[in-house]
Amino acid sequence: MKKLLVLTGGGDCPGLNAVIRGIAKRIRKEKDWEVYGSKEAFNGVFSDPPELIKLTRSRTAGIHVRGGTILKTTNKGNPTNFAVKQPDGSVKFVDRSDELIKRIKDLGFDAVINIGGDGSQKISQALFKKGLNVIGVPKTIDNDLSATDMTFGFQTAVQIATDSFDKLVTTAESHDRVMIMEVMGRDAGWIALHTAIAGGAEICLIPEIPYDIHKLVRRIQSRYKNGHGFVNIVISEGAKPKDGTITSSQGSQGSEHVRLGGVAFQLSKQLKEAGCTAEIRETVLGHVQRGGSPTAFDRVLATVFGVHAAELLLQQKFGRMVTLKNNVVSSVTLEEATANYNFVSKDGYLVKAARGLGISFGD
Ligand code: F6P
């Protein structure tokens, strides 16, 4: 009997369970394969005893509807740069990839499907280069992987952000206020841009287009007559002023990323300092964007990715990541998968449409 190990790494994302179910259902059709999940990315393999669960029919039935991941996840389990606590309390980063590969092989696994974003797929690539049979499935609400036109979770995040934005519009209007809503996305403004168009924002601030605070103040003031008016702003967590830097706080030790967040408050302060007299309120949407049930679209995309990853496994096509390009589900090498970041194009159709509607990017 051959054995497959599945894991989810990095931040969670609506649709992860649908991928797990897609893989498990497809693999269970094969008489000579069994499928297991590792708890909390590769940490389940490092645990003594290992924390692995067999992905039986009863464990995966109906899970495509649920948010999160039944396998749990972490953005602190990079085996190539693993945080190990020292006796004196300090932390040392060590490369445990050889040990990990040995453990996986000793446990009898023939291949691994790693479901994760760019950080996770860089790990997949490193392990593949060292001889592990790995297949990647892309995941991120940020939609920042250039190898695929879309990642599951993104559409759900945009829907949640848009629903929240709609609610802020009515209260902004009632109080003649400026409402700033901060969304996730890291260095890519996809969630903000889609939400701004879907919700009808006056201003959309994204990392790819640094803003001029004075232009924003003028735009806001132009929306007020005799003290009455309102403005709704969507700002991406990685947005920055023309002469400024992003707002971040250091993540905990061993974390994949520096933590972003807080630009809504920074923008509010900058607007006031630049002379904006309107009343301003800030909303940081945060992790609600990643929570709850995936939309039907994301369930479908995640399921398709899962089944395709299982097909790649059966064809022994390792070292590849599943993609969706021009309506075709295919795959690229893990190296290609992580080579380029998917930034919003300043000349792309979305920015053009937004400008056509009169949405200001503050540039
Ligand atoms: O990459 C997905 C994402 O949700 C980003 O949009 C956000 O900056 C980050 O993860 C938050 O990570 P954490 O779960 O560590 O707070």
Side-chain angles (χ1 to χ4, degrees):
M1 190 63 92
K2 286 182 263 184
K3 280 165 71 178
L4 166 67
L5 186 66
V6 178
L7 56 114
T8 51
D12 71 347
C13 170
L16 286 171
N17 284 326
V19 183
I20 295 167
R21 174 175 166 272
I23 296 169
K25 282 191 79 131
R26 178 62 189 87
I27 292 297
R28 283 200 301 264
K29 286 173 75 179
E30 303 297 314
K31 298 278 171 282
D32 53 342
W33 276 95
E34 279 181 336
V35 54
Y36 290 79
S38 168
K39 280 284 190 80
E40 216 187 63
F42 287 111
N43 289 347
V45 177
F46 282 129
S47 298
D48 274 319
E51 284 192 84
L52 308 175
I53 55 167
K54 192 167 181 191
L55 296 174
T56 56
R57 210 195 83 77
S58 65
R59 281 220 167 91
T60 59
I63 62 169
H64 59 300
V65 174
R66 282 167 52 192
T69 161
I70 60 160
L71 294 178
K72 297 193 178 289
T73 187
T74 177
N75 54 18
K76 290 186 212 141
N78 182 351
T80 66
N81 194 30
F82 201 88
V84 180
K85 233 186 179 151
Q86 303 299 296
D88 66 357
S90 64
V91 172
K92 204 173 142 195
F93 290 91
V94 292
D95 184 351
R96 294 183 73 186
S97 52
D98 290 330
E99 179 196 342
L100 175 76
I101 292 172
K102 185 173 179 322
R103 278 177 184 249
I104 290 172
K105 289 186 177 167
D106 289 350
L107 286 164
F109 288 105
D110 298 280
V112 171
I113 296 182
N114 188 8
I115 311 165
D118 60 340
S120 302
Q121 300 315 336
K122 280 184 183 130
I123 295 168
S124 299
Q125 165 67 359
L127 298 174
F128 175 67
K129 270 169 76 182
K130 288 193 165 192
L132 191 70
N133 291 334
V134 194
I135 290 160
V137 175
K139 115 6 289 193
T140 167
I141 62 162
D142 304 334
N143 205 35
D144 57 1
L145 287 165
S146 64
T148 182
D149 287 343
M150 188 83 84
T151 48
F152 60 86
F154 169 67
Q155 228 224 27
T156 305
V158 169
Q159 192 60 54
I160 293 168
T162 303
D163 291 345
S164 307
F165 184 88
D166 291 348
K167 293 181 169 73
L168 290 171
V169 170
T170 57
T171 171
E173 189 170 12
S174 308
H175 284 268
D176 291 324
R177 280 176 175 159
V178 175
M179 288 290 186
I180 304 173
M181 187 176 89
E182 176 179 324
V183 296
M184 286 183 165
R186 298 209 68 81
D187 299 316
W190 295 110
I191 298 177
L193 183 53
H194 276 81
T195 305
I197 295 174
E202 281 73 42
I203 295 172
C204 174
L205 303 176
I206 59 175
E208 294 86 347
I209 308 179
Y211 59 86
D212 176 333
I213 195 72
H214 302 289
K215 286 195 177 156
L216 291 182
V217 174
R218 285 200 292 278
R219 173 90 171 105
I220 291 169
Q221 305 292 48
S222 76
R223 292 263 310 165
Y224 282 80
K225 297 239 160 21
N226 305 322
H228 295 295
F230 67 99
V231 175
N232 282 88
I233 303 176
V234 185
I235 184 166
S236 184
E237 62 181 1
K240 50 189 173 302
K242 278 189 170 154
D243 49 358
T245 51
I246 53 165
T247 304
S248 64
S249 58
Q250 198 56 51
S252 48
Q253 271 183 322
S255 173
E256 246 179 38
H257 300 295
V258 165
R259 281 187 71 188
L260 300 181
V263 278
F265 296 98
Q266 177 181 278
L267 176 66
S268 175
K269 192 165 163 271
Q270 290 165 350
L271 286 171
K272 284 174 204 155
E273 283 167 3
C276 179
T277 52
E279 203 177 4
I280 309 174
R281 291 290 185 271
E282 312 80 12
T283 301
V284 179
L285 221 46
H287 293 78
V288 292
Q289 290 160 93
R290 273 180 16 196
S293 185
T295 58
F297 179 91
D298 280 340
R299 291 180 203 180
V300 173
L301 184 60
T303 303
V304 168
F305 276 8
V307 173
H308 194 76
E311 305 277 359
L312 287 177
L313 166 87
L314 298 172
Q315 293 159 28
Q316 308 265 302
K317 288 191 177 165
F318 301 116
R320 303 188 71 79
M321 186 188 81
V322 178
T323 60
L324 175 75
K325 271 279 175 199
N326 304 320
N327 255 348
V328 177
V329 174
S330 182
S331 64
V332 293
T333 65
L334 287 166
E335 204 161 4
E336 289 168 277
T338 53
N340 297 306
Y341 196 79
N342 184 24
F343 290 108
V344 168
S345 160
K346 286 176 225 162
D347 313 313
Y349 72 94
L350 283 170
V351 171
K352 272 192 190 149
R355 288 197 198 278
L357 291 170
I359 296 175
S360 165
F361 289 91
D363 57 338

